[in-house]
Amino acid sequence: MIPELGHFLLVLALCVAAVLGTLPLLGAHQRRREWIVLARPAAQVFFLLTAASFVALGWSFYVNDFSVLYVAEHSNSLLPTVYRLAAIWGGHEGSLLLWMFMLSCWTVAVATLSRTLDETMVARVLGVLGLVATGLLLFVLFTSNPFERLLPAAQEGRDLNPLLQDPGLVFHPPMLYMGYVGFSVAFAFAIAALLSGRLDAAWARWSRPWTLTAWIFLTCGIALGSVWAYYELGWGGWWFWDPVENASFLPWLLGTALIHSLAVTEKRGSFKSWTVLLAIGAFSLSLLGTFLVRSGVLTSVHAFASDPRRGIFILLLLVLVVGSSLALFAWRAPKVALGGQFGLISRESLLLVGNVLLVVACGSVLLGTLYPLIVDALNLGKISVGPPYFNTVFVPLMAPALFLMAAVPLARWKHADVKDMARRLWIAGALAIVGAIAIPMLMGGWTFLTGLGTLLSVWIAASMILQMIARLKSGIPPLSFWGMQLGHLGVAVFVMGVTLVGGFQEEKDVRMEPGDIVTVGGHEFKFIGITAVNGPNYKAARGEFQVIRNNVPTRTLYPEKRTYVSSEMPMTEAAIDPGVTRDVYVSLGEPLEGKAWAVRVYFKPFVDWIWGGCLLMALGGICAASDRRYRMRVKAAAAARTTALQGASS
Amino acid sequence: MKAKFLIPLALFGVLVAFLAVGLTRDPHEIPSPFINKPAPPFKVAQLIKADDAFSPADLKGQVWMLNVWASWCVACRSEHPLLVQMSQAKIVPVIGLDYKDKRDDGVKFLAQHGDPYNLSAFDADGRVGIDYGVYGVPETFIIDKHGVIRHKQIGPITPESLEKTILPLLAELKKES
Amino acid sequence: MKRWIALLLLALAVGSGWAKEAEPLADDPAVEQRLINIADEMRCLVCQNESLASSRADLAVDLRKELREQIRLGRTDDEIREFMVSRYGDFVLYRPRVKPVTWLLWAGPFVLMIAGVVVLMMYLRRRNRVTAQAATLSQDESSRAEALLKEAEL
């Protein structure tokens, strides 16, 4: 009953989304108020219906209803409850329902939090979101229904892939999807602006906090995915330039360009068409990512089971959404007036250079990801494009952008005083050069890449910190200032982490018997022994390793080799001792003859700075989005309403 | 002035064209670099007559098929009856390559399911497979009279591939001098 | 006395003899390091996008064994890559070779960057001219307006 109800709720949600996607838009065009005011309530009903449907699927998982095909394929009665619920998005159909749920959350958020925005604009924004929802719901209902029944019901489910039975599954997809889907709001604002012909600084001020929030979620989502791969897969890597990883990175790159471009449009009224194009682009990349991951055109460890029929549908959706937006852009954008004047060297132009670099980086990652497909489509054979290509290409592209990052905040609007900038930057430059030589040498040896990485990182960090000190002299700066500083500082921390771990990590693959010691990165690891343990749905061999530093035992690590009830594939659960300056990482391989085991031990200096940097970036985004001027409008509107009410009642 | 605003749409159109074609391709299928190149030489013991050896040179002057199989390979079972039919029709010699198998298991498999092969070569450690670029079992190579590989069938032979590709090619190759 | 000596010897044995440094799993760590460097840039053919170095698939294990042999036989990195490409095609390399079909791939990013910066420079110059013209025109217009006003006053 519940699954059928869930299905029915989705059909209802489709009807409401269709209404939301048509009437308010027509109403805005024809100035019919009775259709315009439908937008908010329709959005709210859409949210309730989608949420209820999502809960229905969750319920089916919770009660182990194996008569639902999707539950039978992705769950198991021995699966711990938390993973039973996270399994909702463990496969294609359910993850799409998560997409829809997130879209309904963002839609209702816009409907609720935009009381002070002109209702015609709100109608257009919600209308566009409704259209996107309609397209996706059609896709779900026609090709990917999560409520399909399996009759006769299975006795037991196939179980969730053991790799996914991890806290990572609970947080990474929802965060990531909040980001992906969040860019639909920026997209909706952009389309609304093009439709109405009103493209100005006020539009940018409205769009910016929503875009920032989506960007924050995407940053966290990608970082979580990276951390999860790092500790789960057992080989210490954190980014593989896999097509699905790239699919999440592409909208992030354009999204970063977008938030910077929006800042200029908001403050100076410039770059309007460019910002709109970026907003369309970021969401288009989200949709493209959805296509790449679910259509089977690219090979990836993350890809969902592919079905060409689904691929055709998503491609059609992509063509409709992106094609019509870009056509609208081509038609309406030329009519947008130019913003204010600015000099060849100014904050505006430097931000534009940064934008261009980010867009080029995005284009390059897209090129590398799609190249095998392009070559194959042209019947020129099959090639692979992997990490060596991306690493070779990405670093030189990003280096100039990183260099600029330290300088741009010091550039004045309209006309930058280069001499003044140089005067304020030379200390940071000197510190950077010292750091670039000293840090790699202290870590163990200088190479060009480690030198470059530390140079850029110290350059940015020093510049930011010096700016903060200088600015604090004249009072506490607003949150938007902290946002910028934290965000850029986060990038510096990230770059330092990547450089140091890439340049100075150590690993050893050894054969250990109980009592043996292996030394890696100045730490000694003593293998104590193996015990057999039983988990809720797996059996494991648990190793015990004593970590010794400077002859003092510090921690004990317990890596496991698990065999899950549902699959014979043994899984390795690495044991990690995280630290601010280093991670030590022990991973069990195979049992060898006698009591010996193959063990892999890693020393990863400063690896947590990678994700610490991402966290700082997200914090920066939160500061920027929370700036007073976004909240003031709400307060002002509330004040206006109270006085109006008082006036009416007196 | 207005044309430049159409560039994003145009680029998108190109992208969609490639994606659409991409939907018709299989990214897992790796074409063989050996097409129209000489079959790599090897010499290994046979499966059943363990004292005798086999080498592709033995079949120079004939058109023949090399079929890579294994007793543990599930997909091979679906093509095996077709191979048996082919061998009964005596179209071309079919030589098996028992890949990464145990000798006893291989012999038992042929006894159970029929032996369509003139003989099977025994590739215990997979070295011959690597030399031929084998990455999955089953795979079938069609080799012409001069010892040149002319076609590789990836995956099991299906009635369709037999009818449309393999039999016509074999007929054509047999006519060659 | 004997008991003390025995205890001392036992203590020494327990203290030092058992805690031995683990041996590397590989027979020859130098060969192994070269193998990992080469295999890291190669693709596991039967996996869903994993490197040959880290994959646990049977074929990957076999191929690593084969590559170790090649390294021991003294082949160079290029020869080993050729060995793999001649058997499995370009698909097996994660670093695409530079040939006409990949010129666009390798040159693309840098061409894009240069093109992007050039287009940007051109755009900024034109934009400055346009907005500057708008400013001077209004200056022009305002001086004309002034002149007209003066006329009207007279």
Side-chain angles (χ1 to χ4, degrees), chain A residues 247-541:
Chain A
S248 67
F249 194 43
L250 291 168
W252 188 89
L253 285 168
L254 268 198
T256 307
L258 177 61
I259 57 180
H260 288 86
S261 187
L262 267 172
V264 180
T265 310
E266 182 189 352
K267 291 201 175 86
R268 305 280 303 150
S270 309
F271 301 178
K272 289 178 284 197
S273 315
W274 178 244
T275 304
V276 163
L277 187 60
L278 282 177
I280 296 176
F283 185 58
S284 307
L285 286 172
S286 290
L287 285 178
L288 178 68
T290 307
F291 171 78
L292 290 176
V293 169
R294 296 163 197 271
S295 60
V297 293
L298 292 173
T299 326
S300 160
V301 274
H302 301 83
F304 294 102
S306 65
D307 182 356
R309 203 168 48 115
R310 288 181 183 150
I312 297 174
F313 206 113
I314 307 182
L315 190 60
L316 216 60
L317 196 63
L318 198 64
V319 168
L320 280 172
V321 173
V322 180
S324 56
S325 334
L326 290 178
L328 182 65
F329 175 79
W331 176 36
R332 282 293 178 92
K335 305 197 175 102
V336 173
L338 273 180
Q341 191 189 11
F342 53 85
L344 213 54
I345 311 266
S346 59
R347 196 186 276 204
E348 287 97 325
S349 64
L350 288 177
L351 276 172
L352 260 183
V353 174
N355 255 223
V356 166
L357 287 170
L358 279 168
V359 171
V360 170
C362 180
S364 307
V365 174
L366 185 64
L367 182 68
T369 308
L370 290 179
Y371 211 75
L373 188 147
I374 295 174
V375 169
D376 193 13
L378 293 171
N379 279 323
L380 292 169
K382 287 239 175 11
I383 63 167
S384 294
V385 179
Y389 169 80
F390 290 104
N391 289 330
T392 310
V393 156
F394 196 71
V395 172
L397 281 178
M398 280 283 94
L402 292 173
F403 177 74
L404 270 180
M405 193 184 292
V408 175
L410 291 170
R412 295 217 179 86
W413 294 107
K414 266 191 104 157
H415 187 83
D417 186 343
V418 185
K419 282 206 205 115
D420 179 51
M421 284 168 66
R423 185 179 53 82
R424 292 161 74 186
L425 281 172
W426 79 263
I427 302 179
L431 282 172
I433 294 177
V434 168
I437 300 173
I439 298 175
M441 295 301 289
L442 279 170
M443 290 293 299
W446 194 94
T447 64
F448 174 67
L449 280 175
T450 52
L452 180 65
T454 44
L455 178 78
L456 290 169
S457 174
V458 177
W459 165 243
I460 297 171
S463 170
M464 293 296 136
I465 294 174
L466 290 171
Q467 277 176 54
M468 281 193 252
I469 296 175
R471 186 71 195 267
L472 278 167
K473 287 188 193 148
S474 43
I476 310 264
L479 272 174
S480 61
F481 174 80
W482 294 110
M484 173 176 71
Q485 300 297 344
L486 278 177
H488 293 169
L489 203 57
V491 176
V493 169
F494 173 84
V495 171
M496 186 63 87
V498 171
T499 308
L500 293 180
V501 82
F504 301 105
Q505 63 182 332
E506 280 177 47
E507 83 175 62
K508 276 200 183 149
D509 224 336
V510 289
R511 177 188 172 284
M512 293 187 91
E513 278 174 5
D516 283 355
I517 291 186
V518 63
T519 312
V520 177
H523 291 73
E524 287 177 0
F525 300 83
K526 183 163 178 174
F527 181 29
I528 310 288
I530 298 270
T531 34
V533 292
N534 281 331
N537 54 346
Y538 62 83
K539 285 196 169 60

Side-chain angles (χ1 to χ4, degrees), chain C residues 64-80:
Chain C
R64 285 200 293 268
K65 223 189 297 180
E66 186 66 37
L67 291 186
R68 253 180 233 118
E69 256 318 296
Q70 297 277 314
I71 294 175
R72 277 199 203 101
L73 288 170
R75 306 246 192 276
T76 66
D77 284 2
D78 277 336
E79 284 171 336
I80 294 176

Side-chain angles (χ1 to χ4, degrees), chain A residues 204-254:
Chain A
R205 185 168 309 137
W206 271 105
S207 198
R208 200 161 167 221
W210 292 103
T211 313
L212 269 169
T213 312
W215 181 88
I216 294 165
F217 276 113
L218 191 58
T219 307
C220 292
I222 297 175
L224 275 172
S226 170
V227 170
W228 188 11
Y230 168 72
Y231 74 74
E232 180 68 23
L233 295 176
W235 55 278
W238 55 273
W239 189 257
F240 196 64
W241 294 108
D242 177 86
V244 173
E245 291 176 349
N246 294 349
S248 67
F249 194 43
L250 291 168
W252 188 89
L253 285 168
L254 268 198

Side-chain angles (χ1 to χ4, degrees), chain A residues 242-243 299-301 339-342 353 364 371 382 384 386 389 392-393 397 509-511 515-519, chain C residues 18-25 41 43 48-49 91 93-96 101 104-106 109 113 120 124 127-128 131:
Chain A
D242 177 86
T299 326
S300 160
V301 274
Q341 191 189 11
F342 53 85
V353 174
S364 307
Y371 211 75
K382 287 239 175 11
S384 294
Y389 169 80
T392 310
V393 156
L397 281 178
D509 224 336
V510 289
R511 177 188 172 284
D516 283 355
I517 291 186
V518 63
T519 312
Chain C
W18 282 6
K20 76 176 198 296
E21 181 78 20
E23 285 156 23
L25 201 56
E41 297 207 345
R43 186 168 195 153
Q48 301 272 77
N49 203 26
F91 184 76
L93 295 177
Y94 265 141
R95 182 188 292 267
V101 82
L104 178 61
L105 178 68
W106 282 107
M113 178 162 79
L120 181 65
L124 286 177
R127 194 181 189 283
N128 262 354
T131 47

Side-chain angles (χ1 to χ4, degrees), chain C residues 87-106:
Chain C
R87 283 155 181 72
Y88 295 100
D90 283 329
F91 184 76
V92 76
L93 295 177
Y94 265 141
R95 182 188 292 267
R97 290 176 151 182
V98 184
K99 36 206 266 215
V101 82
T102 59
W103 281 345
L104 178 61
L105 178 68
W106 282 107

Side-chain angles (χ1 to χ4, degrees), chain A residues 464-631:
Chain A
M464 293 296 136
I465 294 174
L466 290 171
Q467 277 176 54
M468 281 193 252
I469 296 175
R471 186 71 195 267
L472 278 167
K473 287 188 193 148
S474 43
I476 310 264
L479 272 174
S480 61
F481 174 80
W482 294 110
M484 173 176 71
Q485 300 297 344
L486 278 177
H488 293 169
L489 203 57
V491 176
V493 169
F494 173 84
V495 171
M496 186 63 87
V498 171
T499 308
L500 293 180
V501 82
F504 301 105
Q505 63 182 332
E506 280 177 47
E507 83 175 62
K508 276 200 183 149
D509 224 336
V510 289
R511 177 188 172 284
M512 293 187 91
E513 278 174 5
D516 283 355
I517 291 186
V518 63
T519 312
V520 177
H523 291 73
E524 287 177 0
F525 300 83
K526 183 163 178 174
F527 181 29
I528 310 288
I530 298 270
T531 34
V533 292
N534 281 331
N537 54 346
Y538 62 83
K539 285 196 169 60
R542 177 184 292 175
E544 193 181 332
F545 286 83
Q546 176 80 259
V547 182
I548 304 165
R549 178 113 167 108
N550 295 325
N551 288 322
V552 176
T554 52
R555 263 193 71 164
T556 317
L557 293 174
Y558 298 96
E560 286 180 14
K561 193 87 181 174
R562 292 184 185 172
T563 317
Y564 280 81
V565 165
S566 50
S567 97
E568 301 105 44
M569 177 178 56
M571 251 199 51
T572 210
E573 278 286 314
I576 306 181
D577 178 24
V580 174
T581 55
R582 95 287 176 274
D583 272 13
V584 289
Y585 189 120
V586 181
S587 169
L588 280 177
E590 281 78 41
L592 303 170
E593 72 305 326
K595 282 192 165 180
W597 274 75
V599 179
R600 198 174 275 181
V601 183
Y602 299 86
F603 169 71
K604 299 261 184 196
F606 296 97
V607 72
D608 291 307
W609 283 41
I610 296 176
W611 307 299
C614 295
L615 192 64
L616 276 176
M617 285 189 236
L619 276 169
I622 294 175
C623 288
S626 320
D627 189 74
R628 232 172 359 142
R629 62 177 186 276
Y630 302 121
R631 286 178 282 136

